[in-house]
Amino acid sequence: MKFFIDTADLDEIRECASWGALSGVTTNPSLYAKTGGKLADFEGHMVKICEICEGLPVSAESTATTTEGMVEEGRRLAALAPNIVVKLPICAESLAACRTLASEGIKVNMTLIFSVPQALLAARAGARYVSPFVGRYDDIAEDGVERVADIVAAIGNYDFGWWNEEGGVEIIAASLRTPNHVTQMALIGADIATVPYAALKKCLTHPLTVNGLASFEADWKKVTAEA
């Protein structure tokens, strides 16, 4: 399973990229707003992310609400850098926009997926990635892991590579909040986990690791004290 970081914060992206395990970045308008960025700086900010993550996919979301607007904005975003992926929210307008963009060789990440039919329609329209959400299911007392498992199974039943030499559609498990979410996504076979910085940092730690490291350090201090 690949790891993406779900953020627009440049420092967070730089740190996670330095680990050598990062495979991409997903952003959205809310994440960009959290950085304090302005509308006039948005495209430049996306370019900076793409430069940090050279060669890795970076999802930049369109805020247009019509098919024509999504296509126009998608083309503009895709022209910013070769690793830009245009992110669109699932709806009738975005399916039509996805078909057009995909036919032009522009990669699309269809987001806000909450059902198998939505995922299948997005894949059929030519989406390179589909992003089902996990945590938001949990918020309404539904099993997000089970719902995404259904999507993984359904997408896996079919070949959606008719438009894409890279092998069709990949599933980005989104709205992941805990290391357990990440674990469950790996177990069900999601292609990608996109994880916020704080949750990704938690994936690095475990109480037994912390205790073991403290024990190693304490023992080494005894060795060096005797030298």
Side-chain angles (χ1 to χ4, degrees):
M1 185 174 70
K2 301 174 188 176
F3 284 93
F4 286 10
I5 184 170
D6 193 34
T7 185
D9 186 291
L10 299 179
D11 290 335
E12 293 179 352
I13 295 168
R14 287 191 187 98
E15 179 181 348
C16 293
S18 74
W19 300 349
L22 192 67
S23 296
V25 177
T26 54
T27 71
N28 61 44
S30 297
L31 292 173
Y32 179 66
K34 288 180 180 178
T35 70
K38 306 300 182 184
L39 177 60
D41 302 325
F42 173 72
E43 292 187 359
H45 193 89
M46 292 300 109
V47 170
K48 290 178 182 177
I49 294 175
C50 289
E51 290 172 347
I52 296 170
C53 302
E54 184 178 0
L56 302 178
V58 175
S59 288
E61 187 162 347
S62 169
T63 57
T65 57
T66 65
T67 296
E68 294 76 12
M70 291 176 189
V71 170
E72 179 181 353
E73 191 170 359
R75 288 169 177 160
R76 186 169 67 251
L77 289 171
L80 295 176
N83 50 332
I84 283 281
V85 176
V86 178
K87 196 173 183 184
L88 301 175
I90 184 70
C91 60
E93 291 79 8
S94 65
L95 286 178
C98 178
R99 185 73 171 200
T100 298
L101 294 171
S103 69
E104 296 175 4
I106 295 173
K107 296 176 182 177
V108 173
N109 173 6
M110 197 72 78
T111 190
L112 289 175
I113 299 286
F114 288 97
S115 72
V116 169
Q118 287 178 327
L120 292 172
L121 285 166
R124 182 56 60 194
R128 178 66 179 82
Y129 304 96
V130 295
S131 293
F133 284 30
V134 178
R136 295 194 191 185
Y137 273 119
D138 295 346
D139 291 340
I140 59 171
E142 290 192 28
D143 189 337
V145 172
E146 182 179 345
R147 298 294 182 271
V148 177
D150 289 343
I151 290 171
V152 170
I155 291 292
N157 284 336
Y158 305 100
D159 177 13
F160 293 105
W162 58 268
W163 58 272
N164 175 13
E165 294 180 355
E166 295 180 4
V169 64
E170 288 187 279
I171 296 170
I172 302 177
S175 187
L176 304 183
R177 300 170 181 172
T178 67
N180 184 57
H181 275 160
V182 174
T183 298
Q184 296 305 313
M185 292 303 100
L187 290 173
I188 67 173
D191 301 293
I192 300 159
T194 188
V195 189
Y197 175 77
L200 202 53
K201 291 279 282 188
K202 289 179 181 178
C203 290
L204 287 171
T205 64
H206 189 281
L208 294 178
T209 304
V210 174
N211 293 341
L213 181 58
S215 177
F216 292 159
E217 291 178 347
D219 289 341
W220 189 245
K221 285 181 180 179
K222 293 178 184 178
V223 173
T224 55
E226 294 169 356

